[in-house]
Amino acid sequence: GCQRWAMWASYVNPNYQGGGRDEYFDCDDGGGTCSSLDCHDPDTEWILLGVYRQEFYQFIEQISKHVWAIDSYEYAVALAGLAYMTDYDCWQVQDQNDGSYFYAGTKPTQFGRFEMGLYVDEYCLEAYDGGAYTYDNMGMGSDLNLGSKDETGCSNNGDRRLEDGGGEGDGGGGGDCDELENYWDSTQEYTLTNLNNVYDTFKYCTPCMDYPTYQDGYFIGDYGTDDDDLINQCWKFHSHDSFVCEGDCMNMGHSQGTVLQFEVDGTTFGSSMDGTTSSLGSNPNANSNSQSTNKTITKLDKLKANLFVGFAGILFVATFLAFAVARGSGRKDRSGKSRSLLTSEERARARRRSRSKGRTSAASRGDRSSRSRTSRSKSRGANSRGTSSRSKSAGRSKSRGASTRSKSAGRSSSDRESSGRSPRSDAVSRERSSSRRSASRRARSSNKFVDDF
């Protein structure tokens, strides 16, 4: 179930003068050693040390153990209330007629009070409002039981040694077993009125040191007043399921409307007993008190705070979305600029066509160059043949006109003429053959370049 907590605060008196308990309860107003026990007041000079939350059952139990005698009204009421509420936060108590269940748990009410509530869910958050039943109909009552250390004989219909007002308690104590049983029975009802009234005193500023100090209804030491016997109640709280109550914890108590007024760093939480911003009123634990006013958190303040938080949230979301859209658009533009309009296959085809055109153009240039060289070679050959003809004609003329030359020389010359050869024509022929070989080599070299390309 949903856990129940009690909130409490600790303070320190900066004006403490070392007078102990007497400085607050039995001081001499003229002696200048009196201090006001008014840490609950909005205008107090006491300094807040911290706000805490403690498991609710432990809060009630730790106080009951150390401040009252076993035969006192307060002790009987405290134990009767603890037995009636049990130490469960939320538990199933009975079936309903429709097959569902009743659940029970402590229910906080205004001004720090509480009662036992019926709920229809297992977390004890949704209160039963049918009106036909209360917690009193669940059969949770019990007989008087003052604890394991009870020596009165009153518990559980014992030998009843405590009779005719023979108790040793103070402050309304000293009752016999019958009276204690009446206190017990009258306390065990769902409003827990007796228990709330007994614990009202702890809604005011109270010293941490329990004086006198008891342990389960009996004095510690002779009278429970020696320094070594006193118990620090604030330390007892701290050591039994007590934790720091931070901002969200304090806001939750304030929102429930169930905590009494206290101030933290200029912010006031809770409300006073009469629902105003004034102090709780007269403190039964002290000999002086004061009243004042202070600013509290109103519904308008909470509305303004909620509107501010909501507007800030909307503004943040809108800014984030605008940033995300702008960033996405920028990425799209950049990626569009760098992306090619052709696919990879189309680019490959374009490269192949470009290479094919390059080869064709180079081959054409090579053919033109080869033809040009061949034409020049033919022209040179024609010129050589013309020169050879002229040489042959001159040779024949010389042969016929020279009568002094020998026949042998004439035959040699005639043979050379009939074969069409002469030293010069041989030289021209060799030159033409060399030119053709050179042109052939250049043509092959040009063709090799085209193939390589």
Side-chain angles (χ1 to χ4, degrees):
C2 183
Q3 195 166 12
R4 270 53 176 169
W5 300 91
M7 289 174 59
W8 64 280
S10 61
Y11 296 81
V12 62
N13 181 9
N15 302 316
Y16 178 65
Q17 301 178 47
R21 174 182 171 83
D22 291 342
E23 186 170 329
Y24 301 103
F25 293 96
D26 301 313
C27 69
D28 181 7
D29 292 337
T33 58
C34 292
S35 292
S36 296
L37 199 61
D38 63 352
C39 59
H40 60 279
D41 195 285
D43 277 347
T44 184
E45 294 183 355
W46 288 61
I47 298 174
L48 177 68
L49 291 181
V51 180
Y52 308 91
R53 57 183 174 90
Q54 181 165 8
E55 197 275 324
F56 186 77
Y57 185 91
Q58 285 283 1
F59 180 83
I60 301 297
E61 183 185 44
Q62 288 305 313
I63 292 177
S64 71
K65 280 177 167 291
H66 305 297
V67 297
W68 297 305
I70 197 167
D71 60 343
S72 66
Y73 167 78
E74 293 85 357
Y75 190 76
V77 167
L79 267 62
L82 288 168
Y84 198 56
M85 71 171 63
T86 79
D87 59 352
Y88 293 106
D89 291 312
C90 180
W91 74 103
Q92 179 183 321
V93 289
Q94 187 173 308
D95 296 345
Q96 297 192 52
N97 294 330
D98 59 359
S100 58
Y101 300 97
F102 280 124
Y103 298 86
T106 308
K107 180 181 179 180
T109 60
Q110 277 189 312
F111 311 128
R113 297 178 76 86
F114 51 91
E115 63 183 33
M116 296 305 299
L118 282 183
Y119 298 86
V120 295
D121 68 301
E122 60 182 338
Y123 299 102
C124 290
L125 295 175
E126 186 178 351
Y128 166 73
D129 57 2
Y133 301 97
T134 68
Y135 183 76
D136 294 339
N137 300 118
M138 302 297 111
M140 301 302 296
S142 62
D143 294 330
L144 174 66
N145 185 355
L146 299 178
S148 60
K149 296 183 179 181
D150 177 23
E151 298 177 0
T152 66
C154 297
S155 298
N156 301 318
N157 297 315
D159 57 11
R160 303 177 70 85
R161 292 189 300 273
L162 185 61
E163 298 289 353
D164 300 326
E168 59 182 359
D170 58 353
D176 58 26
C177 290
D178 290 337
E179 289 177 332
L180 295 178
E181 286 175 348
N182 289 334
Y183 302 154
W184 186 278
D185 292 340
S186 63
T187 299
Q188 292 193 338
E189 48 85 24
Y190 82 95
T191 65
L192 298 175
T193 299
N194 290 349
L195 186 63
N196 276 282
N197 291 339
V198 165
Y199 278 80
D200 272 349
T201 185
F202 299 100
K203 297 175 183 177
Y204 298 85
C205 196
T206 306
C208 284
M209 303 304 293
D210 293 331
Y211 187 96
T213 292
Y214 296 85
Q215 181 63 51
D216 298 320
Y218 296 94
F219 286 133
I220 295 179
D222 294 332
Y223 302 102
T225 55
D226 295 338
D227 290 342
D228 293 340
D229 298 331
L230 298 179
I231 285 180
N232 186 326
Q233 190 66 59
C234 297
W235 179 85
K236 292 292 290 186
F237 286 159
H238 175 72
S239 62
H240 288 75
D241 299 318
S242 191
F243 307 92
V244 174
C245 184
E246 298 178 339
D248 56 346
C249 168
M250 292 184 283
N251 281 325
M252 184 179 295
H254 178 83
S255 299
Q256 287 182 177
T258 58
V259 297
L260 291 173
Q261 181 177 305
F262 64 96
E263 183 178 325
V264 179
D265 293 334
T267 299
T268 301
F269 299 86
S271 59
S272 63
M273 285 261 195
D274 58 3
T276 68
T277 58
S278 63
S279 66
L280 292 175
S282 179
N283 182 2
N285 301 320
N287 57 5
S288 64
N289 65 82
S290 62
Q291 296 186 359
S292 64
T293 60
N294 194 20
K295 182 180 178 181
T296 61
I297 298 176
T298 65
K299 291 184 179 180
L300 181 59
D301 293 332
K302 290 190 287 186
L303 177 61
K304 290 179 180 179
N306 291 334
L307 288 175
F308 173 77
V309 172
F311 176 76
I314 294 172
L315 184 61
F316 171 78
V317 172
T319 304
F320 176 78
L321 291 176
F323 170 77
V325 171
R327 187 174 184 182
S329 177
R331 286 180 176 176
K332 184 176 180 181
D333 293 342
R334 289 194 297 272
S335 63
K337 290 179 180 179
S338 61
R339 188 169 57 247
S340 174
L341 297 177
L342 299 178
T343 64
S344 58
E345 184 178 353
E346 291 172 339
R347 289 197 298 272
R349 280 202 300 269
R351 283 196 295 271
R352 287 196 295 270
R353 286 197 298 269
S354 177
R355 290 172 181 173
S356 177
K357 290 180 180 180
R359 294 191 188 100
T360 303
S361 177
S364 177
R365 288 194 299 270
D367 291 343
R368 288 196 298 270
S369 177
S370 178
R371 287 195 297 270
S372 177
R373 294 189 186 98
T374 302
S375 177
R376 286 196 297 272
S377 297
K378 290 181 178 180
S379 178
R380 294 191 190 99
N383 292 334
S384 297
R385 285 192 298 272
T387 303
S388 177
S389 297
R390 285 192 297 271
S391 298
K392 288 179 180 181
S393 176
R396 284 192 299 268
S397 177
K398 288 180 180 180
S399 178
R400 284 191 299 268
S403 57
T404 60
R405 291 182 181 176
S406 65
K407 294 181 179 180
S408 132
R411 284 193 301 270
S412 177
S413 177
S414 176
D415 291 339
R416 283 194 299 270
E417 288 175 356
S418 62
S419 62
R421 293 179 179 175
S422 68
R424 185 173 180 178
S425 67
D426 289 342
V428 171
S429 178
R430 284 194 300 271
E431 180 181 357
R432 185 169 60 249
S433 177
S434 176
S435 176
R436 288 176 180 173
R437 284 196 300 270
S438 177
S440 177
R441 282 196 301 269
R442 283 194 296 270
R444 284 197 301 270
S445 176
S446 176
N447 290 337
K448 183 177 184 301
F449 171 75
V450 171
D451 290 341
D452 290 343
F453 180 77

